């Protein structure tokens, strides 16, 4: 599994490096029109993303080369800001139960019977061992095909690349550089553009119609790597209840700042 993990990360680096290094095509009026048309495809796909209740079964492998660990996770919601994520290590061993509701973030760790809270606009998932540089809301948007909600509705500059790819410098948050394929699907994102620092991400898609992200491969300039694999998608017939979307903390459990959280 470690060899597969490393191979996937190497492939991602090759794709991201290729996008960054290839010279852009001359920006003729025709190519400028193609660039705008590609962004319109991207925007249209983002508006068609699923708004129905969902539950995703995920596998997450992360670490550094030669030292990785694997966990599984259940991620569910009603396409609202309140989202739930349970992280498991081993069969039936839940190591973290997570609730995000807007800028309110709560974690319960059954292994040490402590709860942790955070409020703010930062990305607390990284601190609890979920290796993605987004909050749960943006992760949900990305995995459910609501791409504009993640990367924005406008771009600052753009260029066409060989291989029928288009690359855009994003405005606002999260910023960075986004690469779209011929269908307007995001296939690569770099947090700092051509800068070597920060996160780089490759997105691979399933064979469904419409296609949705099946694998996120992430590499950070500090050596950290991660693969998020969607193993199964469920579409419940009815929305999750308030009870199913609530994170109940047992009585007497201490509530601590998230800064004190330590991964099991």
């Amino acid at each position: 599994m470690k060899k597969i993990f490393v191979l996937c990360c190497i492939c991602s680096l090759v794709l991201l490096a290729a996008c960054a290094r290839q010279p852009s095509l001359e920006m003729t009026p025709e190519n400028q029109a193609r660039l705008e048309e590609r962004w319109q495809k991207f925007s249209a796909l983002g508006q068609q993303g699923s708004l129905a209740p969902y539950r995703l079964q995920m596998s997450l492998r992360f670490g550094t080369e030669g030292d990785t660990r694997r966990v599984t996770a259940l991620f569910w919601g009603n396409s609202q800001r309140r989202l739930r994520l349970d992280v498991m290590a081993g069969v039936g061993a839940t190591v973290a139960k997570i609730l995000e509701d807007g800028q309110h973030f709560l974690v319960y760790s059954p292994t040490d019977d402590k709860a942790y809270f955070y409020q703010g606009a930062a990305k607390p998932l990284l601190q609890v061992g979920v290796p993605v540089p987004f909050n749960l809301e943006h992760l949900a948007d990305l995995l459910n095909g609501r791409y504009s909600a993640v990367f924005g509705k406008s771009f600052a500059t753009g260029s066409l690349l060989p291989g029928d790819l288009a690359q855009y410098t994003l405005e606002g948050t999260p910023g960075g550089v986004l690469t779209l394929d011929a269908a307007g699907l995001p296939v690569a994102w770099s947090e700092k553009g051509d800068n070597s620092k920060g996160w780089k991400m490759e997105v691979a898609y399933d064979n469904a119609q419409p296609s949705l992200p099946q694998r996120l491969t992430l590499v950070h300039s500090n050596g950290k790597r991660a693969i998020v694999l969607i193993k199964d998608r469920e579409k419940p017939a009815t929305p999750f209840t308030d009870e199913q979307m609530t994170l109940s903390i047992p009585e007497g459990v201490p509530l601590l700042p998230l800064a004190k959280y330590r991964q099991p």
Side-chain angles (χ1 to χ4, degrees), residues 24-263:
S24 58
L25 304 184
E26 182 182 355
M27 195 47 62
T28 62
E30 292 78 8
N31 282 342
Q32 181 65 40
R34 288 175 57 196
L35 192 69
E36 295 286 349
E37 181 182 7
R38 184 72 56 87
W39 186 264
Q40 292 304 317
K41 287 183 178 180
F42 162 78
S43 298
L45 288 170
Q47 294 173 2
Q48 296 170 8
S50 174
L51 292 173
Y54 59 88
R55 178 164 48 212
L56 307 178
Q57 295 185 31
M58 306 189 300
S59 170
L60 299 89
R61 180 168 287 276
F62 54 95
T64 57
E65 185 173 353
D67 182 19
T68 64
R69 60 178 298 197
R70 176 181 174 273
V71 297
T72 59
L74 285 176
F75 185 24
W76 69 95
N78 290 324
S79 296
Q80 299 170 341
R81 299 186 72 187
R82 184 189 293 184
L83 298 163
R84 284 280 287 107
L85 176 74
D86 282 357
V87 181
M88 287 77 70
V91 180
T94 301
V95 296
K97 295 185 176 185
I98 299 172
L99 167 69
E100 182 180 289
D101 192 352
Q103 292 189 357
H104 297 272
F105 190 84
L106 180 65
V107 181
Y108 172 57
S109 174
T111 54
D112 59 8
D113 202 28
K114 294 179 181 178
Y116 304 85
F117 70 93
Y118 174 82
Q119 182 175 352
K123 307 177 185 73
L125 284 177
L126 291 169
Q127 191 164 331
V128 297
V130 180
V132 293
F134 305 109
N135 56 24
L136 276 185
E137 184 177 6
H138 279 170
L139 180 61
D141 287 332
L142 176 59
L143 296 178
N144 286 291
R146 300 188 290 270
Y147 309 116
S148 296
V150 182
F151 300 110
K153 298 181 179 180
S154 60
F155 63 93
T157 61
S159 59
L160 294 175
L161 303 179
D164 207 7
L165 298 173
Q167 197 170 75
Y168 301 85
T169 301
L170 303 176
E171 296 181 335
T173 303
V177 172
L178 181 67
T179 302
L180 306 180
D181 68 7
L185 289 170
V187 293
W189 171 73
S190 176
E191 185 178 20
K192 300 296 184 180
D194 293 336
N195 193 313
S196 61
K197 296 182 179 180
W199 286 98
K200 297 180 185 296
M201 177 177 68
E202 177 195 345
V203 186
Y205 292 83
D206 58 27
N207 296 319
Q209 293 296 328
S211 294
L212 289 171
Q214 186 173 45
R215 187 181 71 239
L216 310 179
T217 305
L218 299 114
V219 180
H220 195 277
S221 55
N222 62 13
K224 293 182 180 180
R225 303 175 178 184
I227 294 175
V228 180
L229 179 66
I230 307 303
K231 302 181 69 175
D232 188 45
R233 292 179 178 273
E234 301 176 49
K235 297 180 180 179
T238 58
F240 293 103
T241 65
D242 285 343
E243 183 178 359
Q244 291 171 314
M245 295 305 304
T246 298
L247 176 52
S248 299
I249 306 299
E251 186 176 353
V253 169
L255 185 59
L256 307 172
L258 185 62
K260 294 188 177 181
Y261 181 86
R262 297 294 179 268
Q263 296 182 36

